[in-house]
Amino acid sequence: MGIIELQHVNVDFPNKKREVVHAVHDVNLTIEKGDIYGVVGFSGAGKSTLVRTINLLQKPSGGNIKVNGTDFIKDGKQVISNKDLQLARRKIGMIFQNFNLLNEITVVENVAFALKHSGLKDNEVEEKSLKLLELVDLKEKAEFYPAQLSGGQQQRVAIARALANEPDILISDEATSALDPQNTQQILDLLKKLKDELNLTIVLITHEMSAVKKICDKVAVMQQGKIVEKGNLRDVVLHPKNALTKSFVGGSLEVINTLKSLNLSNINDQEAIYQLIYSVANVTKTIIIDLYREIGVEASMLYGNVELLDDEPIGTLLVLVKGDNEKQQQTVQFLEKEQVAVTRLNEKGDLYE
């Protein structure tokens, strides 16, 4: 039994033509206690709508929702009282892309704002707020105003505020999307540290697979309101089944920029570009040379990168392979036999199965 259980969850909206739009459609998702669970998809995929059903900021149209062993929704109807829901929400912290800080009060007052219904005395509220700022390495900025802080620092304040009521669950809704790469890495490192120190369960909503790769244990990929693939991060990265997942697992900014820089219109019928994802521990560094030896095709590397996935080095390659259709089929078969996830690119650089 998970700390978060979603069963057959639907969220429907009427559009201007009074037609029903399925923002979330028949989603099943179980998140275990202590997971850092990534929900990834392009804008409009329904991921934020889905995750906001966890604390009923978005009421579902159907399905069942259970959080921390308590039924929130059964058969599309709210079964938890509004009073109990308000209490339950205190145990579900949320951080957002735009920080949602109050600019007219200080940093420590922003954190204390979340404790106004805690029953603590004023001095206890201040003491706890300062400890939370210390936890996110911002105690020295307590008397600053949000406008005096960098984006990464403002997000740290928002995280401290979200932790004020000692939540079991922390939802990060595109919390790193507005940050530069350095601040993004720092926030992700902080989330992972907090997860271990506070025994949090974290749900990370993002359109950036790179963020998921850095800290998540498990991942669900969403497209048009549906979960098209989910599982342990390593399995999804190394053995993606869905076309969208294949684009995400290799879809770092470097890969995308490399594809944009290539004039793929010049690729002829005797050439193909492949994205390869593999475990460096299982696949030799001579995979390109092995292709020539085994299949007799010439393969040129267009891009290469190795990143750590839970301390396991995972390689990404873009290669151009020259050969007729039979040779191309043999190439794919050989690579798959060697435990490489292979995705062919079409002439526009898009992924397809």
Side-chain angles (χ1 to χ4, degrees):
M1 185 175 72
I3 191 170
I4 300 170
E5 296 181 63
L6 308 180
Q7 297 179 332
H8 304 293
V9 171
N10 294 285
V11 179
D12 299 331
F13 297 118
N15 63 15
K16 292 181 180 179
K17 298 179 180 179
R18 296 185 179 180
E19 299 168 335
V20 176
V21 176
H22 301 295
V24 173
H25 183 63
D26 196 28
V27 165
N28 294 285
L29 189 65
T30 298
I31 298 175
E32 304 292 340
K33 185 173 179 59
D35 278 349
I36 302 183
Y37 206 116
V39 180
V40 66
F42 290 123
S43 178
K47 53 191 186 297
S48 291
T49 302
L50 171 68
V51 173
R52 285 167 186 252
T53 66
I54 292 172
N55 55 8
L56 301 194
L57 288 181
Q58 173 62 58
K59 298 289 180 69
S61 307
N64 303 314
I65 296 173
K66 180 181 285 189
V67 181
N68 257 335
T70 299
D71 288 311
F72 283 13
I73 298 288
K74 274 192 173 182
D75 298 323
K77 296 181 180 179
Q78 182 175 325
V79 293
I80 186 173
S81 70
N82 288 332
K83 181 180 179 180
D84 287 341
L85 176 60
Q86 188 176 12
L87 293 173
R89 281 175 173 166
R90 294 184 189 178
K91 294 300 180 181
I92 307 173
M94 289 195 76
I95 53 175
F96 306 90
Q97 178 179 345
N98 57 0
F99 320 135
N100 287 0
L101 300 179
L102 299 171
N103 291 320
E104 65 275 11
I105 61 176
T106 64
V107 162
V108 69
E109 288 170 338
N110 264 279
V111 178
F113 186 77
L115 292 167
K116 64 179 182 178
H117 298 302
S118 65
L120 297 175
K121 297 177 181 178
D122 289 348
N123 65 314
E124 292 173 328
V125 168
E126 183 176 9
E127 182 181 356
K128 185 170 186 178
S129 299
L130 289 172
K131 283 184 178 179
L132 288 164
L133 287 174
E134 185 175 14
L135 189 63
V136 299
D137 298 322
L138 271 185
K139 188 176 181 180
E140 74 281 1
K141 304 288 187 182
E143 299 303 325
F144 282 53
Y145 287 85
Q148 296 175 284
L149 305 183
S150 69
Q153 290 171 332
Q154 289 186 59
Q155 192 59 279
R156 286 173 180 269
V157 177
I159 292 171
R161 184 185 57 192
L163 297 175
N165 289 297
E166 302 174 17
D168 302 307
I169 298 164
L170 181 63
I171 297 173
S172 169
D173 190 355
E174 297 281 9
T176 61
S177 296
L179 303 178
D180 60 40
Q182 182 178 359
N183 278 309
T184 293
Q185 184 61 58
Q186 290 173 354
I187 293 298
L188 292 174
D189 289 342
L190 175 61
L191 290 176
K192 191 166 187 178
K193 183 189 90 167
L194 293 173
K195 175 256 183 184
D196 293 333
E197 290 183 2
L198 304 178
N199 196 26
L200 289 171
T201 301
I202 298 177
V203 185
L204 185 76
I205 310 163
T206 182
H207 63 274
E208 300 166 335
M209 190 65 185
S210 57
V212 172
K213 288 178 182 177
K214 285 183 172 72
I215 66 167
C216 291
D217 310 299
K218 298 172 185 174
V219 62
V221 181
M222 287 196 72
Q223 184 178 32
Q224 297 179 342
K226 299 178 181 179
I227 290 180
V228 296
E229 193 158 355
K230 63 184 175 182
N232 291 325
L233 181 62
R234 184 185 184 278
D235 293 338
V236 171
V237 169
L238 289 177
H239 309 289
K241 298 178 177 62
N242 181 271
L244 178 66
T245 309
K246 292 177 181 179
S247 70
F248 266 120
V249 297
S252 69
L253 288 175
E254 291 85 357
V255 173
I256 293 167
N257 289 335
T258 299
L259 286 172
K260 287 180 179 178
S261 69
L262 299 172
N263 188 358
L264 297 179
S265 61
N266 290 335
I267 301 297
N268 61 45
D269 293 340
Q270 298 293 305
E271 297 174 325
I273 294 179
Y274 297 94
Q275 171 189 280
L276 314 181
I277 308 287
Y278 58 95
S279 169
V280 173
N282 296 333
V283 177
T284 72
K285 296 178 180 178
T286 61
I287 189 71
I288 303 300
I289 299 173
D290 293 343
L291 263 178
Y292 177 76
R293 289 174 178 167
E294 296 291 328
I295 312 298
V297 294
E298 181 182 337
S300 304
M301 189 172 73
L302 305 175
Y303 167 86
N305 182 47
V306 175
E307 58 190 342
L308 290 177
L309 201 70
D310 195 20
D311 295 327
E312 179 183 5
I314 302 296
T316 299
L317 289 178
L318 285 184
V319 295
L320 172 66
V321 176
K322 297 181 179 180
D324 59 24
N325 286 336
E326 184 178 353
K327 291 291 186 183
Q328 299 293 351
Q329 291 177 6
Q330 291 174 358
T331 293
V332 173
Q333 291 170 359
F334 170 77
L335 290 169
E336 290 179 342
K337 184 180 177 182
E338 295 296 314
Q339 303 180 58
V340 177
V342 186
T343 307
R344 186 171 177 173
L345 307 180
N346 67 18
E347 67 276 5
K348 295 180 181 178
D350 298 323
L351 295 171
Y352 67 92
E353 294 183 289

